[in-house]
Amino acid sequence: MAEDDTPQAGPAGRLLRAGFHALAALRGARAFHPNGLLLNGELQALRRDELALPEEPVAVTVRMSKGAGLPGRVPDALGLAVRIPAVGGHPWDLTLTTSGTGLVGRVLPRPARAWTAGRYSTLLPYRTKGELIWLSARAETPRHAEASLDGLRRLMAEGPVTFLFETVRANGHRNPCARLTLDEVDDDSPQPAFDPMLNSPPDWELRPGWLTALRERAYEGSRKGR
């Protein structure tokens, strides 16, 4: 069976892939989150009973970006993507976007005026151990900078920026699981293609399946288009 004939693809998947391919080709960059900064940081596990992070702090690659690529300080759905290298044989990619709170709010992107304001969410939940769990992050650093890449550079120049990561149940219960500390802007390394579907934690599966299949088609179109 050809790749595009799989049930997970279908006409909607092919259409979505083509649309994201065209948008990425037009921009010469990612279809969404085209503008961002690569940052170096460290992720430290606070508890490992839910997300089996390395016991010792691990160096990570992070990209913070503007979802729609809106210019300057215009509020946008801001992105926080974290690559944890070679855990269990392959990297993990965690991608979060500024969102609201509550069961409905955490699944919808929400424009933010500052990089350290509000909450970031995976939007889609993971299924693990028979239940649905979202990953969420909020800044612990009290400093703020407007939602521009220049503002993010200034924020980083003032000192490290920390985020607290939490697991979130459908009932809203939160458990801290890790702390991310961002140290510096990396202008020299190539920006990796973060893909939470291809690089998910072991035994963690993004849900619902039909939506993640469409999302993967969008990622695929964006990768090939740019």
Side-chain angles (χ1 to χ4, degrees), residues 203-218:
D203 302 320
W204 282 56
E205 182 182 16
L206 280 167
R207 304 296 292 175
W210 65 268
L211 187 54
T212 58
L214 290 177
R215 188 176 175 184
E216 178 54 33
R217 288 304 189 188

Side-chain angles (χ1 to χ4, degrees), residues 3-15 17 213-214 217:
E3 178 184 347
D4 284 349
D5 292 333
T6 61
Q8 291 83 359
R14 292 192 292 271
L15 182 62
R17 184 178 60 180
L214 290 177
R217 288 304 189 188

Side-chain angles (χ1 to χ4, degrees), residues 88-118:
H90 68 88
W92 298 358
D93 286 344
L94 308 177
T95 59
L96 299 88
T97 302
T98 50
S99 68
T101 57
L103 183 57
V104 175
R106 78 174 71 103
V107 305
L108 299 175
R110 181 176 182 177
R113 295 181 177 273
W115 296 98
T116 51

Side-chain angles (χ1 to χ4, degrees), residues 7-26:
Q8 291 83 359
R14 292 192 292 271
L15 182 62
L16 194 63
R17 184 178 60 180
F20 273 69
H21 184 285
L23 181 56
L26 181 64

Side-chain angles (χ1 to χ4, degrees), residues 26-223:
L26 181 64
R27 283 182 155 178
R30 295 168 172 84
F32 286 105
H33 296 278
N35 304 319
L37 290 182
L38 197 66
L39 309 168
N40 292 325
E42 182 180 85
L43 190 69
Q44 180 179 11
L46 300 179
R47 55 185 297 173
R48 304 179 66 251
D49 53 338
E50 294 182 332
L51 185 61
L53 294 165
E55 294 184 12
E56 299 298 325
V58 60
V60 293
T61 299
V62 175
R63 185 176 188 265
M64 299 193 74
S65 56
K66 302 194 69 171
L70 298 178
R73 63 178 65 190
V74 177
D76 203 338
L78 305 179
L80 174 63
V82 183
R83 172 160 289 181
I84 306 170
V87 179
H90 68 88
W92 298 358
D93 286 344
L94 308 177
T95 59
L96 299 88
T97 302
T98 50
S99 68
T101 57
L103 183 57
V104 175
R106 78 174 71 103
V107 305
L108 299 175
R110 181 176 182 177
R113 295 181 177 273
W115 296 98
T116 51
R119 289 187 180 272
Y120 293 76
S121 167
T122 51
L123 302 184
L124 296 181
Y126 290 87
R127 179 170 290 280
T128 180
K129 298 179 181 178
E131 62 180 329
L132 296 179
I133 295 181
W134 285 258
L135 288 175
S136 174
R138 59 178 175 83
E140 295 183 310
T141 301
R143 307 189 312 270
H144 294 296
E146 77 277 1
S148 71
L149 298 187
D150 287 341
L152 181 56
R153 284 186 181 277
R154 290 195 299 272
L155 182 68
M156 292 300 303
E158 293 170 359
V161 176
T162 62
F163 288 87
L164 179 68
F165 274 69
E166 300 171 311
T167 55
V168 187
R169 262 61 180 190
N171 64 5
H173 182 70
R174 296 176 177 271
N175 279 326
C177 63
R179 177 168 285 110
L180 172 67
T181 301
L182 301 177
D183 300 313
E184 62 180 356
V185 177
D186 184 352
D187 288 320
D188 299 323
S189 300
Q191 297 198 6
F194 296 88
D195 191 324
M197 272 71 71
L198 292 179
N199 300 318
S200 61
D203 302 320
W204 282 56
E205 182 182 16
L206 280 167
R207 304 296 292 175
W210 65 268
L211 187 54
T212 58
L214 290 177
R215 188 176 175 184
E216 178 54 33
R217 288 304 189 188
Y219 271 81
E220 181 183 346
S222 181
R223 285 195 300 268

